[in-house]
Amino acid sequence: FFFNDTATTEIYTRSLVGSVRCVQETGYQRRVHGIFEMKKSVLAGYFRFGKETHYKPDPKGIKAVGLFFGANWSPHNMFFKSKLKEAYNEMNKAGKVFEVIYVPFDAGLSEWELAITSDPWPSIPFGEEEIHTYSDEYSVTTFPNLVILKPDGTLISLKGHEDIKAMGAKALSKWIKQILKEL
């Protein structure tokens, strides 16, 4: 759950079919992106982008989405993050076609906040339940890791990390070919 300092608390519960119910109380505000909403579109939730706490990506033109499972305490993460930033900027040079959503496994809130200030992509807020939901769904056990999805949430590749390391921005062409094969 994501907390901010508003005077309202929104408590979300899910029924067995995945609908979301909201109850408001006084206190702090909570919100859930929810795997059920995310299955409709990976870009359906609200994210944190820099100082903006309710950022909503524009899905127009997006061909692929990378769920970047990272932990800034890991030296491997920092090396991969620089390669991913380079590829991300190259892929989106002529217009936004690839979005990355950071899925944080940072050591603490302050580490996460420091890390996302320099990221060119949005992040699931630190502590959200989707972090573990996604890591369980895609069997993520190591960091960094990059899972590639269609914007609707359909899996393209569990090997985005290896693709970026080997191919850089050219990995997008590989992922688009995989999407076209499925059509």
Side-chain angles (χ1 to χ4, degrees):
F1 291 102
F2 175 75
F3 297 88
N4 69 17
D5 351 280
T6 63
T8 304
T9 297
E10 295 177 2
I11 301 171
Y12 291 83
T13 59
R14 289 192 181 98
S15 71
L16 291 174
V17 293
S19 61
V20 176
R21 181 173 56 92
C22 172
V23 178
Q24 292 190 345
E25 299 175 3
T26 58
Y28 292 95
Q29 182 180 27
R30 295 185 204 188
R31 66 182 168 75
V32 170
H33 299 294
I35 194 72
F36 298 105
E37 290 121 2
M38 294 298 236
K39 280 299 185 186
K40 293 177 194 164
S41 170
V42 178
L43 303 175
Y46 288 98
F47 301 93
R48 173 84 180 266
F49 188 51
K51 299 275 184 202
E52 192 175 341
T53 59
H54 288 84
Y55 174 76
K56 188 161 180 73
D58 183 3
K60 291 180 190 145
I62 301 294
K63 307 287 187 230
V65 177
L67 293 179
F68 171 33
F69 296 85
N72 285 294
W73 46 263
S74 164
H76 299 291
N77 187 83
M78 300 314 286
F79 175 75
F80 176 70
K81 191 176 190 180
S82 67
K83 290 189 88 48
L84 181 58
K85 277 184 186 180
E86 192 177 294
Y88 176 86
N89 290 332
E90 181 67 27
M91 289 176 191
N92 293 316
K93 195 183 289 185
K96 190 100 172 211
V97 293
F98 179 57
E99 184 62 273
V100 170
I101 305 293
Y102 182 56
V103 184
F105 280 85
D106 296 309
L109 181 62
S110 59
E111 181 181 282
W112 169 73
E113 286 179 332
L114 181 64
I116 65 167
T117 57
S118 65
D119 290 346
W121 47 71
S123 173
I124 293 176
F126 183 81
E128 290 280 339
E129 71 180 55
E130 284 73 29
I131 295 167
H132 296 288
T133 302
Y134 279 132
S135 66
D136 291 345
E137 183 170 345
Y138 299 112
S139 302
V140 174
T141 58
T142 60
F143 307 109
N145 203 313
L146 185 65
V147 173
I148 307 301
L149 307 170
K150 292 181 193 177
D152 70 2
T154 306
L155 180 66
I156 297 172
S157 175
L158 293 172
K159 298 183 179 191
H161 173 255
E162 291 85 358
D163 292 343
I164 291 293
K165 281 176 42 179
M167 302 165 58
K170 293 177 182 168
L172 182 63
S173 296
K174 176 184 175 182
W175 303 329
I176 290 174
K177 285 178 188 174
Q178 285 176 270
I179 293 170
L180 294 175
K181 276 186 200 177
E182 295 173 10
L183 296 177

